[in-house]
Amino acid sequence: FIFTCELLQLNIVDGKMQYLFDESGRRYLDAFAGIAVVNCGHCHPDVVEPVINQIKRLQHPTVMYLNHAIAEFSEALASKLPGDLKVVFFTNSGTEANELALMMAKLYTGCQDIVSIRNGYHGNAAGTMGATAQSLWKFNVVQTGTHHALNPDPYRGVFGSDGEKYARDVQDLIQYGTTGHIAGFICEAIQGVGGIVELAPGYLSAAYDIVKKAGGLFIADEVQSGFARTGNFWGFEAHNVVPDIVTMAKGIGNGFPLGAVVTTPEIAGVLTRRCYFNTFGGNAVSTTAGLAVLNVIEKEKLQENASMVGSYLKGKLNQLKEKHEIIGDVRGRGLMLGVELVSDRKLKTPATAETLHIMDQMKELGVLVGKGGYFGNVFRITPPLCFTKEDADYLVEAMDYSISKM
């Protein structure tokens, strides 16, 4: 299971920026950020204060009524997206956002087939579980209409770093598994739960062209990679494509339950055919937090910091790879990094048990990292974006020491 007993045994009672504190007052360097959620830092005063002020005045008006908090955040959020991506629908989570996006794609195109990528994760509701392509996260319920393409994984994939060869599988799926027309294609710019897997160069632009020719919409799942985490504001920006629909959550609210779907007015029009409604989507308190997050990211230059510190940390981790045979791969962008552990570099044998042990040792040294990948052998390093080079140094030292003690 993706979450380990060792981490769950911690009783966290306080947080401040990139640090967490347990009930005894011990401080931990948080390199996981609540699963890539707390982008601005724990209890950031510039997020907390406006939220307190809002909750004193109005907690929940619903989107049936006008409210400045919802309107101001919608406008600010849309301004961060390219092209005609100007219509915002609020949800409570990434799962809800992806469910809505998949439904909109089907309604707009009149098709039911969705293409997603193997090893991807998109949520745990009916449609998103179908789009998710890992058995670890799929319950035994009916899941139809989704076709899972080869994962363009430069480390473990059959075509290495040749993105265009992987994209041909998307073409084959459409030709042989559908009517030739699809509703959409959904993918993460960097697979989060799947182990911080970057897409092979050239893949997304090639797949995009194939999907558009089949009449499908491109859905960018930015739930983990969005809001400056990768050094770009959105993960898809590194691939020179403009999505038809963008989904987001996690870092959008710095810990407040909030998600969103942003699309074009034309696509959004499909929801006028019936009555679409989300009771808590667009909650005044959550959207106040969302606007505060955008302001903090800009004011404190967190996107630039994620790029600078992330590049520095990735370089240090690659140096560690040269020292320790157990490190098979270091990957990711910005402060969305993965370290894959293997017991045999040539065979790429997952070092699952060793990963748990090293993770526990790092915890004892006061450093918290996440774990992911199908085999549970990848460290997910997704800290708050206020992470410093000194924090990066300490994380690498803790990992180095923990591996050396194996």
Side-chain angles (χ1 to χ4, degrees), residues 260-307:
V261 177
V262 183
T263 189
T264 67
E266 184 180 4
I267 296 170
V270 299
L271 292 188
T272 63
R273 300 173 187 172
R274 295 291 187 275
C275 183
Y276 171 77
F277 188 70
N278 186 311
T279 300
F280 293 105
N283 172 271
V285 176
S286 292
T287 51
T288 294
L291 181 59
V293 165
L294 292 183
N295 291 336
V296 169
I297 289 174
E298 182 174 353
K299 177 183 176 182
E300 300 187 359
K301 301 185 184 303
L302 294 185
Q303 181 176 331
E304 293 85 346
N305 191 67
S307 179

Side-chain angles (χ1 to χ4, degrees), residues 147-159:
H147 309 265
H148 300 117
L150 285 175
N151 185 22
D153 181 349
Y155 181 61
R156 290 187 175 273
V158 292
F159 299 124

Side-chain angles (χ1 to χ4, degrees), residues 188-203:
E188 306 159 89
I190 299 177
Q191 293 176 340
V193 172
I196 315 297
V197 178
E198 293 188 80
L199 306 180
Y203 174 79

Side-chain angles (χ1 to χ4, degrees), residues 18-41:
Q18 65 267 49
Y19 301 108
L20 292 171
F21 301 83
D22 66 16
E23 75 280 11
S24 70
R26 183 181 181 187
R27 191 181 78 172
Y28 295 86
L29 179 63
D30 181 14
F32 199 28
I35 318 181
V37 168
V38 189
N39 281 18
C40 296

Side-chain angles (χ1 to χ4, degrees), residues 89 100-108 261 263 267-268 270-271:
F89 295 95
L100 178 58
L102 293 171
M103 182 179 74
M104 291 172 72
K106 293 174 182 179
L107 291 172
Y108 181 77
V261 177
T263 189
I267 296 170
V270 299
L271 292 188

Side-chain angles (χ1 to χ4, degrees), residues 16 27 43 49 70 109 111 132 175 206 234 255 279 282 316 396:
K16 184 176 182 181
R27 191 181 78 172
C43 301
E49 184 176 358
I70 302 168
T109 62
C111 298
T132 292
Q175 286 181 336
W234 307 109
T279 300
K316 299 284 284 188
V396 172

